[in-house]
Amino acid sequence: MLRVALTGGIASGKSTVAERWAELGAVLVDADVLARDVVEPGTPGLAAVVERFGEGVRAAGGALDRRALAEVVFTDPGARRELEGILHPLIRERSAELEAAADPEAVVVHVIPLLVEGGRTPEGFDAIVVVDLPEDLQLERAMRRDAASEEQVRGRIAAQAARSERLAVADLVIDNSGDRQELLAEADRVWAELCQRRAVTKS
Ligand SMILES: CC(C)(COP(=O)(O)OP(=O)(O)OC[C@H]1O[C@@H](n2cnc3c(N)ncnc32)[C@H](O)[C@@H]1O)[C@@H](O)C(=O)NCCC(=O)NCCS
Ligand SMILES: Nc1ncnc2c1ncn2[C@@H]1O[C@H](COP(=O)(O)OP(=O)(O)OP(=O)(O)O)[C@@H](O)[C@H]1O
């Protein structure tokens, strides 16, 4: 197994790269997806979040009101850390289960937006891949995709590591300052590099 971490800031292009790699055979373990799974209606995760943040973060149908919770946690770092304290252990547990179920020959790609934010150098991965782009492009793409204001997106960027901190831990960098086609070409280039590393590890 080759264990790869894929990280990058909000709207950097992680999902686009991860989808491409999945087409090429990667097994994906996506923390953003798991962060949703662990607060599905009826889960202990949702119960714990409502217990801490109140019924105001539960929408009419019973699901988590993500917009309401985002308003709270991206304007209050203490509240955000409390939410992370509830959800991150649940996300880590699910990630470990998914990885344990993967083929031993697989390239397992952990998509982890907050890899660097843990405050220490992430260990245990065979490769750390960072999707990188200038902040003005990141802001523009996030605002367009999420129909969000500049202030809302800046709130999330402020809650994340700086570009330089992510680049400092990168083994491989995917440049997403070009168009979508160029991003896919970058993804293919780095995938080939990862496969080569796996071949070396095996021999
Ligand atoms: C606050 C929540 C409900 C808002 O939901 P929403 O649907 O608007 O965003 P979504 O979960 O799709 O995240 C989108 C992006 O926001 C950024 N983001 C999310 N959580 C965080 C965080 N705690 N710190 C910094 N950035 C974050 C990431 O770039 C992420 O890719 C949600 O983000 C959440 O539950 N966050 C806490 C869990 C967490 O830390 N997730 C990050 C990856 S493990
Ligand atoms: N090179 C590009 N040119 C134009 N748009 C792009 C490019 N790369 C990504 N995008 C767009 O930017 C947005 C973010 O891309 P993507 O969802 O892949 O990023 P992400 O890092 O997974 O985001 P998040 O973690 O915030 O969910 C999407 O709307 C995507 O279509």
Side-chain angles (χ1 to χ4, degrees):
M1 181 178 292
L2 192 78
R3 299 179 69 244
V4 177
L6 177 64
T7 192
I10 183 166
S12 54
K14 295 179 297 296
S15 306
T16 308
V17 171
E19 256 169 54
R20 177 69 155 202
W21 287 356
E23 283 168 20
L24 297 170
V27 173
L28 299 186
V29 180
D30 187 328
D32 273 343
V33 173
L34 299 181
R36 286 169 187 265
D37 289 351
V38 300
V39 292
E40 282 287 304
T43 55
L46 180 58
V49 170
V50 172
E51 162 105 32
R52 163 61 186 83
F53 293 95
E55 285 294 335
V57 299
R58 206 197 303 259
L64 180 65
D65 184 340
R66 307 184 68 82
R67 203 166 257 274
L69 187 55
E71 279 303 322
V72 177
V73 301
F74 294 117
T75 53
D76 177 349
R80 191 187 80 244
R81 279 186 212 105
E82 283 189 60
L83 177 66
E84 291 170 356
I86 297 169
L87 298 187
H88 289 185
L90 300 171
I91 295 167
R92 275 199 295 272
E93 194 182 325
R94 289 284 296 127
S95 305
E97 283 167 12
L98 289 176
E99 182 173 295
D103 187 318
E105 297 284 301
V107 177
V108 178
V109 176
H110 289 264
V111 186
I112 312 181
L114 304 181
L115 184 76
V116 180
E117 284 75 355
R120 61 191 178 91
T121 311
E123 292 140 15
F125 290 104
D126 298 304
I128 296 175
V129 181
V130 170
V131 187
D132 178 61
L133 76 175
E135 195 174 302
D136 56 345
L137 256 186
Q138 181 187 21
L139 187 66
E140 182 189 310
R141 287 178 188 163
M143 286 171 65
R144 190 178 330 127
R145 183 196 56 187
D146 299 338
S149 68
E150 177 169 344
E151 194 189 355
Q152 284 168 329
V153 176
R154 285 204 187 278
R156 290 205 194 201
I157 292 177
Q160 301 185 346
R163 195 179 168 192
S164 57
E165 292 174 291
R166 271 190 293 265
L167 290 174
V169 302
D171 297 307
L172 296 159
V173 177
I174 290 180
D175 172 19
N176 191 14
S177 58
D179 64 18
R180 226 186 108 78
Q181 265 329 100
E182 289 171 283
L183 175 61
L184 295 177
E186 278 284 280
D188 290 355
R189 174 183 67 77
V190 170
W191 178 255
E193 171 73 26
L194 293 171
C195 290
Q196 198 164 7
R197 288 188 184 197
R198 184 179 50 166
V200 172
T201 323
K202 271 204 265 180
S203 62

